[in-house]
Amino acid sequence: MATNGKYLPAEERRAVIVETVLTLAAEGNPSEITTAAIAERMGLTQGALFRHFPSKEAIWEAVMAWAARTLASRLETAATAAPTPLDALEAVFFAHIGFIAEYPGVPGIFFGELQRPGDSPARERARELMEDYGERLRAIFREGQAAGQFSTVFDSDAAASLFVGIIQGLVLQSFLSGSRGSVSKNAPAAFALFRRGIEAGGDAL
């Protein structure tokens, strides 16, 4: 995505920088992305890049903030439009899968930030996303239990961790196989297994 030095308002330029990082992350290892590579893809100098972000860490924080905000919005929309808690849970699962399919570089960035030693603004964004995600899932579980759709004996914290872990496992499998498309392909069967574990009358988690 080269912009060839074309003038853009500051906010729009920052958005293009974030988009460029997402594109580069989808093409290779996010940990190997340099500011020089970002600037080159955009047709800018590194000096021009740093006029919009003071450091690489600030760029990564902006990327994580965008990813967290966008994913949270999609999950909220999916859950709100669903007629029942079970439908909401399924909608959230596949909204997340769809987000990964559209932005395949995000999981690598996310995993990379969580594995980095120490704290950073980007890591904090990732942590906040996971906390909010867990609370959203627990709310759906409570609603489903109250509606009689879900078993009342499973641990909601464990179920929320497993829900997210299934998606992360699908992503990891796609990394190992080298097939990004396997995430979407294997998602329906994975969700069906999870669903059977929490439905009323099923084998509770």
Side-chain angles (χ1 to χ4, degrees):
M1 179 197 313
T3 57
N4 298 320
K6 178 181 176 182
Y7 173 78
L8 293 173
E11 184 175 351
E12 186 174 347
R13 177 70 77 185
R14 286 191 291 269
V16 173
I17 292 170
V18 168
E19 186 178 350
T20 301
V21 172
L22 293 171
T23 300
L24 291 171
E27 296 173 355
N29 187 343
S31 66
E32 297 177 355
I33 298 174
T34 64
T35 54
I38 299 169
E40 180 179 1
R41 179 62 64 92
M42 296 182 65
L44 300 174
T45 64
Q46 288 192 68
L49 191 69
F50 287 129
R51 282 199 292 273
H52 299 283
F53 290 102
S55 65
K56 182 178 178 181
E57 287 72 22
I59 296 174
W60 251 240
E61 180 185 5
V63 171
M64 284 302 305
W66 177 91
R69 183 171 62 251
T70 303
L71 178 58
S73 175
R74 293 191 182 192
L75 299 184
E76 176 66 22
T77 298
T80 301
T84 70
L86 184 56
D87 291 326
L89 192 66
E90 183 172 0
V92 165
F93 185 88
F94 286 101
H96 194 164
I97 294 296
F99 177 79
I100 292 170
E102 187 174 352
Y103 300 101
V106 169
I109 295 173
F110 182 81
F111 289 151
E113 285 303 319
L114 291 181
Q115 291 171 357
R116 286 177 58 184
D119 289 325
S120 70
R123 181 185 176 90
E124 184 60 28
R125 295 281 189 175
R127 186 183 298 117
E128 290 171 356
L129 170 62
M130 294 307 300
E131 290 175 354
D132 292 345
Y133 201 151
E135 182 51 44
R136 180 185 304 279
L137 292 173
R138 287 187 289 271
I140 294 174
F141 294 148
R142 289 192 295 268
E143 292 169 5
Q145 289 172 329
Q149 283 193 306
F150 297 159
S151 167
T152 58
V153 298
F154 68 84
D155 185 295
S156 61
D157 288 333
S161 295
L162 181 57
F163 182 97
V164 176
I166 289 171
I167 297 174
Q168 292 173 337
L170 291 171
V171 171
L172 180 58
Q173 287 177 346
S174 74
F175 286 169
L176 294 174
S177 68
S179 174
R180 298 284 177 90
S182 67
V183 175
S184 298
K185 178 181 177 181
N186 297 330
F191 180 79
L193 284 172
F194 180 84
R195 172 176 173 164
R196 285 199 292 271
I198 66 169
E199 278 186 296
D203 297 325
L205 296 170

